[in-house]
Amino acid sequence: MTLLGSVVGFSFFGLASRFGQLSIQKRNLMDNPGGHVLAMAVFGFAGYWAHQWDERAGVILAEKRAEITERRERRLARADI
């Protein structure tokens, strides 16, 4: 998932959650647009954080796979001797 897709997707989820919150309270959905912007910004930041976390997890997993492969090769080399 791209960075832009994550941020925009989470932002729209934040907007939807804000609309849900206002509809539960039976308030006008367009009463305070600043609240919508704030909710979108907070959820957009959460999307940015989730994207960075996913990228870092991929790097860590690749490093661990390489480490495991290296250990297996050393173990096989010792077993052949």
Side-chain angles (χ1 to χ4, degrees), residues 1-13 43-52 54-55:
M1 190 188 254
T2 65
L3 176 62
L4 183 63
S6 295
V7 171
V8 171
F10 273 73
S11 293
F12 282 130
F13 182 77
F43 276 83
F45 178 73
Y48 173 77
W49 179 80
H51 176 75
Q52 295 298 326
D54 188 42
E55 292 290 320

Side-chain angles (χ1 to χ4, degrees), residues 20-66:
Q21 174 191 21
L22 291 176
S23 65
I24 288 171
Q25 295 175 355
K26 296 184 180 176
R27 291 174 46 195
N28 184 7
L29 295 181
M30 297 300 167
D31 187 30
N32 184 9
H36 301 324
V37 172
L38 180 64
M40 289 179 75
V42 169
F43 276 83
F45 178 73
Y48 173 77
W49 179 80
H51 176 75
Q52 295 298 326
W53 183 34
D54 188 42
E55 292 290 320
R56 182 66 185 140
V59 169
I60 291 172
L61 285 173
E63 289 172 357
K64 290 293 182 183
R65 284 187 186 124

